[in-house]
Amino acid sequence: MRSYAQSIALYERTKKSLAGGVSSNVRYAATPVPLFFVRGEGARLYDVDGNVHIDYVLGNGPAILGHAPQPVIDAVARSLADGQVFAAQTPRETELSERLVRLLPGAEVVRFATSGTEAVLMAMRLARAFTGRDKILKFEGHYHGWSDQAYISARPPLNEAGPADAPVPVAGSPGMPASVLGDTVVCGWNDLDLLRQALERHKGEIAGVLMEPMMVNGGAAPPEPGYLEGARDLCREHGALFLCDEVITGFRLGLKGAQHRFGVTADLAIYAKAVAAGFPLALVAGRRDVMNTLLDKGVMHGGTYNGNVQSMSAALAALDVLQADDGAVYRDLERRGTRLMQGLAELAARHKVPARVQGAPAIFQVHFTAGPAPRNYRDAVACDRDRALAFHRLLQEEGIRVNQQAKFFLSTAHDDAIIDETLAAADKVMAQL
């Protein structure tokens, strides 16, 4: 058994000065306590107890190039002497925005922010200002940040969520005012009939339909064929904006994200995480006429750290790597991720563990179920949660770090030798399961 004595002691010490002992509630979900790490390099993390972990959490997605990628570190190091924040523009913002407009589907203009949560709020505000409507339609199991306006029905208990064909909005946290629920319509995902019915029930009220183009947080479920195109067309029919939350999928499912992968273009798209390979950066990209409400209608968006020198430098360096040789790093990432997905599915079958591995090679999840792979949130929560937790704990003892949902993020640093090591560890774990 691995020792976590130093992490346990440091967690107890930290709780005396840091609320809850962590800086994000998501970090509570660790075994045996929130672990403390001293260093990350490539695909590995090193904790205070000297344990080495092959990391498939990757900061919940940002570290697309692995931890401390040298080209990004070098670019940021060079930028440090230039300053950090000026409350003014820098030429790096111009260069990055021009590159993103050339690259991203439907991106006529972009606006930078610092976190995915605030970029989602910006997109929602833009949609409301542009349409003159108040309501946002979102989907069960889709996570769009922890704000009052967005943290609704992200992981609702099914005994509170209402019927599957007409879910009720469920606040995700104490302290959220009931008033925000009235501005939110919730729908089941991956079913065009349900979306059509929800839009008809709220005809003329929906400013925007907000979704993860692949449901990552609620179960790594891809869209059904034709679903995204159908959702876009329903938005147009009802005068609502189609909003894609690519905070996770952007720059992870490919250089141009999920919209390009699945062949659909949103009116506005939100990006964060992988865009700066670990440095804090988010953005909203999309139609010029919608984005111009920032100027034409005086829609407020601000942020002291928006466009800061280091994040701009990191993103430019990351794009250099990701775009090199027409995105060659993605071809390797797809190949290795596919091999890992197939290997895990074969191990589960060999050891007679009922499991489905689904998602995309750069982000997928192992669902412990004898039934079909989940296609929406309610399918996902019906899977065996206890077995997923056991899988997480047993893998950690073998030096493999995944989250408690048994979700895998891959980076370009996960080479073939690391995939081999991961599958060897998973073989032992599946035998125990």
Side-chain angles (χ1 to χ4, degrees), residues 15 29 32-33 45 81 86 122 144 153 176 198 216 218 235 283 291 329 357 408:
K15 285 193 294 184
V33 296
L45 282 177
F86 308 141
M122 188 205 319
H144 305 294
S153 295
M176 291 174 57
V216 176
C235 287
L283 62 116
M291 299 289 284
V329 291
V357 182
F408 287 72

Side-chain angles (χ1 to χ4, degrees), residues 32 92 96 109 151 158 310:
R92 289 178 174 91
L96 181 58
V109 289
Y151 193 42
L158 294 189
Q310 278 66 59

